Amino acid sequence: MLRVEDLRFAHPGQAVPYQFSLLAHAGEVTSVSGASGSGKSTLLDLLGGFLLPISGEITLDHENLVPLPPEQRPLSLLLQSDSLFDHLSAASNIALGLPRQTSKAQAREQIAAALAEVGLDGLSGQQAATLSGGQKQRVALARTLLRARPILLLDEPFSALDDETRGVIRDLVRTLTIRHRWHTVLVSHHADDVEALASRRYVLRDGVLMAG
Ligand SMILES: Nc1ncnc2c1ncn2[C@@H]1O[C@H](COP(=O)(O)OP(=O)(O)OP(=O)(O)O)[C@@H](O)[C@H]1O
Ligand SMILES: [Mg+2]
């Protein structure tokens, strides 16, 4: 279980600190909604280790994550878009998720399996710049698969997609979360995304995160 307990943080000049408490279970999507500027991305930055809290705890199965630098935290982050290197192929983007010591043969095999799992067989050689928005999100999810981290943070990951693609990628996130037992934290202010995906819901209001 991912547990955020009474985490406090203030941006420079912010008088009253944010106060975040949250539980996210393996195999479930936990949503965080709230108005623009309410602090949703700030919470993800704290989870990711890009910001450090004043006090409070972040634990995964009782392991304290706060002292760990971002690259050592057991998580992957998927943003609205632009998480790929445009000049690289789909396969090369996915390969960035592999540990350095992976052999070429192993890499080829794992990349092919990840591409198949996100429904992108046959596109491995295509340059990222020429992929559609939905295909790009699939490649980003495939990279996440290879990283094999137990926490997936999603910040408005469907916003750049049309309605149909949105539904498809949403289903993929649900399937992968269940299959790989990810603790998925979804930031979204779209009620239908939350409705479709979240087992547990939180709302950020007046700087305080509450079960909603
Ligand atoms: N580096 C920073 N320094 C000072 N203030 C910041 C910084 N980053 C964000 N803020 C402020 O903190 C507040 C919360 O920002 P945050 O990006 O977390 O909101 P959000 O809920 O993700 O909004 P949106 O839905 O628009 O993405 C905003 O008022 C923002 O201006
Ligand atoms: Mg944000």
Side-chain angles (χ1 to χ4, degrees), residues 100-170:
R100 215 164 281 173
Q101 65 273 23
T102 314
S103 74
K104 273 203 170 140
Q106 275 177 328
R108 240 193 323 271
E109 199 172 297
Q110 290 184 37
I111 290 167
L115 278 166
E117 192 166 352
V118 301
L120 279 185
D121 308 66
L123 285 189
S124 73
Q126 192 162 328
Q127 210 188 347
T130 68
L131 296 170
S132 72
Q135 288 169 340
K136 284 182 180 169
Q137 290 305 64
R138 286 175 197 263
V139 171
L141 281 168
R143 186 172 57 199
T144 299
L145 282 170
L146 294 198
R147 287 166 59 88
R149 304 279 172 87
I151 302 170
L152 175 63
L153 306 178
L154 303 166
D155 198 349
E156 300 285 1
F158 316 118
S159 310
L161 307 175
D162 62 63
D163 284 350
E164 196 185 329
T165 311
R166 182 186 197 97
V168 174
I169 302 294
R170 213 154 60 182

Side-chain angles (χ1 to χ4, degrees), residues 42 70 87 97 105 137 144 167 189 191 206:
T42 300
H87 62 287
Q137 290 305 64
T144 299
H189 40 222
D206 299 328

Side-chain angles (χ1 to χ4, degrees), residues 11-12 14 18 34-43 155-156 187 189 204:
H11 286 294
Q14 184 180 334
Y18 287 111
S36 180
S38 60
K40 304 182 298 296
S41 297
T42 300
L43 170 61
D155 198 349
E156 300 285 1
V187 161
H189 40 222
L204 189 43

Side-chain angles (χ1 to χ4, degrees), residues 9-23:
F9 173 82
H11 286 294
Q14 184 180 334
V16 183
Y18 287 111
Q19 199 179 325
F20 302 112
S21 292
L22 163 149
L23 292 179

